[in-house]
Amino acid sequence: MRTLIVTAFVSTDGVMEAPGGGDHRSAGWTFKEVEFVEEAYEIKGREQQEAGALLLGRRSYEEFAPVWPTMDEFTEYNAMPRYVVSTTLAEGDPRWPATVLRSIDEVAALKQTDGAPILVHGSAVLGAALADAGLVDRYHLLEFPVLLGAGQRLFSETDKDATKLALVEHDVYSNGVVKKVYDVVR
């Protein structure tokens, strides 16, 4: 069985929407509001080395597909199998092919296969749905010292039992970014 890891940039108030751009009123908040410190992003390089597949929601996929294939810093992401969870997307973008999964049940089946971890990158709605379904094994969070007040949050507001997390790695960087890696305790 594969490990499913949700990796995200989050504001201190839990918003993960539009960290690099988009339509949110504070779009690009990771670089507009916080000084860039290279060592804070070390975990992003490690994720590419360790992951065996990339899993995205439709909106994230549609934003990444035209850009990521041209970026040298995403060589490993561009080489690994990609999956998109969508009920509306007909097929993957030919510039950045992906297998379309139609349900959370199909994600659960993918998780049952052998291989390196599946990395869920930048997909707020999908990440929350996977957490609600009990499929997330680990969180890689870079928390930025900014309060955005509004936007899609990392976790849903679904009424459910508490989920216990174990902090397995952390660091604080000179720009105030905090790395938190949590395993989900089952």
Side-chain angles (χ1 to χ4, degrees):
M1 184 161 88
R2 299 170 91 165
T3 301
L4 196 139
I5 301 168
V6 171
T7 180
F9 297 141
V10 296
S11 65
T12 296
D13 57 347
V15 174
M16 65 176 285
E17 184 177 352
D23 296 329
H24 186 273
R25 69 179 185 212
S26 298
W29 50 268
T30 57
F31 62 88
K32 289 180 181 175
E33 306 297 334
V34 179
E35 174 190 359
F36 177 79
V37 174
E38 187 171 346
E39 58 268 19
Y41 297 89
E42 170 276 333
I43 193 167
K44 295 301 169 192
R46 189 167 19 125
E47 288 170 347
Q48 286 190 71
Q49 297 297 318
E50 296 173 357
L54 190 58
L55 178 65
L56 302 164
R58 180 193 52 82
R59 291 170 75 197
S60 294
Y61 176 73
E62 288 175 340
E63 288 180 15
F64 294 171
V67 179
W68 280 27
T70 66
M71 300 177 76
D72 292 338
E73 60 265 41
F74 296 140
T75 303
E76 289 87 0
Y77 287 146
N78 292 327
M80 69 180 62
R82 287 172 296 282
Y83 299 88
V84 182
V85 180
S86 175
T87 58
T88 59
L89 190 67
E91 60 184 42
D93 186 317
R95 295 170 293 184
W96 208 47
T99 300
V100 178
L101 304 177
R102 299 291 178 201
S103 69
I104 296 298
D105 289 339
E106 288 187 31
V107 175
L110 175 63
K111 190 176 170 194
Q112 294 301 316
T113 62
D114 291 329
I118 301 165
L119 195 62
V120 181
H121 204 303
S123 296
V125 173
L126 177 58
L130 295 169
D132 289 349
L135 295 175
V136 177
D137 299 300
R138 177 173 270 203
Y139 291 95
H140 289 183
L141 307 177
L142 286 180
E143 180 186 304
F144 286 71
V146 61
L147 301 174
L148 298 176
Q152 292 179 332
R153 300 195 181 272
L154 176 61
F155 300 105
S156 76
E157 295 184 19
T158 302
D159 185 14
K160 62 181 185 225
D161 292 335
T163 300
K164 184 170 174 149
L165 304 175
L167 184 65
V168 295
E169 182 181 341
H170 67 285
D171 210 339
V172 179
Y173 302 97
S174 62
N175 61 354
V177 170
V178 179
K179 174 177 64 179
K180 302 177 195 176
V181 176
Y182 293 105
D183 279 344
V184 175
V185 177
R186 302 218 194 280

